[in-house]
Amino acid sequence: MNFKVLIFVIFCSMSTLAFSQVRYGVVGGGNLSRLAVPDSEPNSKSGIGFFVGGYVDVPLNSALSIRSGLNFQRIGVRNDFREIVSIERRMNSLELPVHVTYAIPIREAGNLLIGVGPFVGLQLSGKIKETWEEIDVTNEGISFPSGDFESDIVYSGDHALMNRFDYGISSLLGYKFGNGLFIRVGYNIGLAQLNKRQEEFQFNTGQKEYKENSRVVSLGIGFEF
C-alpha cells in the first residue's frame, strides 16, 4: 500500500513539475499551398496565403518536448485542366498540429528546433472561381459556357465539391533566440482525399482515378513566453 502511495506521489510531482514548465507562444506568417494530383494533368499551381495561431510546449526533458496548438490559415490553390478550365480556390481552415520537438542548443544564443508529427485540419469556408474557355464539342452533344463563374465551396450534400477534413504529416524547422523570439519553416503533407465529384474530375483529366491532397509550406515568426 505504501509503495502505491509513493508511486502516486512521484507521478503527481512529475506531472506538476512538467506542467509548471509549460511554455506558451504565438506565431504568424505566410504560406504557399497547392493541391497535389497524381499526374501532370491538371497543372497544379501554388497560391499565397497566411496563418496565425498559438501553441503550448510541454517539456519531456531538457531537449524533447510536445508542441501543439491551433492555427487559423487561409490558403489558395489553382488547377488548370487541359487548357479548358482554370479552377481557383480560397479556403479558410483550422489546423491542429502535434509535434515532437527536439531542441539543439547553439552556444548561448538560442536553440535550433526540429519537429515532426501528425496534424488534423478542418475547412471552415471557401470560394471557388472557375474560368472556362470556349470549346466546341457539339458533335458529342456537350456544351460548356465560357467566362468566369464564382461561388461558395460546398462541403455537404449532392453538390459537395470538397471534404472538410484533412490530416497528414507536419514538420517544422526553426530557431529560437534567447529572448523568446523565433522564426520557423513548416511543411504539411496532407493524406486525405479532398476532392469530391469524382466523375467530373475524371472527365476533365482523363484519369481513371483522381485525387487531390494538400501541400502547404509556411514561414512564420513568433514569440514564446
Side-chain angles (χ1 to χ4, degrees):
M1 186 67 178
N2 292 334
F3 179 74
K4 292 182 179 180
V5 172
L6 178 60
I7 294 297
F8 177 75
V9 171
I10 293 175
F11 175 78
C12 291
S13 301
M14 292 178 63
S15 300
T16 302
L17 178 62
F19 282 98
S20 68
Q21 296 175 345
V22 168
R23 299 180 289 265
Y24 305 89
V26 292
V27 63
N31 60 43
L32 284 175
S33 56
R34 68 182 183 92
L35 293 176
V37 294
D39 297 315
S40 58
E41 182 69 33
N43 183 13
S44 180
K45 298 183 178 180
S46 299
I48 299 175
F50 69 89
F51 75 98
V52 62
Y55 68 88
V56 294
D57 189 89
V58 181
L60 302 178
N61 55 40
S62 59
L64 281 176
S65 65
I66 301 295
R67 175 176 296 201
S68 182
L70 189 64
N71 299 323
F72 172 83
Q73 63 179 359
R74 182 172 177 84
I75 61 176
V77 297
R78 174 180 167 181
N79 287 351
D80 295 333
F81 295 88
R82 291 184 173 181
E83 300 182 353
I84 296 175
V85 58
S86 175
I87 299 179
E88 296 182 42
R89 282 168 275 186
R90 293 276 180 181
M91 290 89 76
N92 301 312
S93 64
L94 293 176
E95 175 202 47
L96 194 156
V98 180
H99 293 124
V100 177
T101 306
Y102 186 74
I104 304 174
I106 306 297
R107 296 182 180 178
E108 297 181 358
N111 294 308
L112 179 67
L113 303 176
I114 302 172
V116 65
F119 80 90
V120 293
L122 172 67
Q123 290 195 27
L124 303 175
S125 62
K127 292 282 187 180
I128 181 171
K129 180 181 179 181
E130 300 183 11
T131 302
W132 288 85
E133 301 295 333
E134 186 175 356
I135 55 175
D136 183 11
V137 287
T138 54
N139 60 327
E140 299 181 17
I142 303 174
S143 61
F144 293 99
S146 61
D148 297 338
F149 304 90
E150 187 171 350
S151 62
D152 293 330
I153 294 178
V154 179
Y155 295 99
S156 60
D158 295 335
H159 301 288
L161 176 66
M162 299 187 70
N163 291 307
R164 283 190 183 274
F165 297 97
D166 194 10
Y167 62 87
I169 302 171
S170 178
S171 59
L172 68 85
L173 176 65
Y175 185 82
K176 186 177 74 171
F177 298 92
N179 59 2
L181 187 70
F182 68 88
I183 56 174
R184 65 99 165 143
V185 177
Y187 183 50
N188 285 4
I189 300 175
L191 301 178
Q193 179 176 329
L194 296 182
N195 62 293
K196 293 187 176 180
R197 297 190 190 177
Q198 187 75 3
E199 295 80 6
E200 177 181 327
F201 284 109
Q202 289 172 353
F203 172 80
N204 288 332
T205 63
Q207 299 175 18
K208 293 183 179 180
E209 186 176 12
Y210 178 79
K211 294 181 179 180
E212 292 179 336
N213 302 105
S214 64
R215 300 289 187 268
V216 182
V217 178
S218 59
L219 175 63
I221 184 171
F223 186 83
E224 190 169 283
F225 302 96

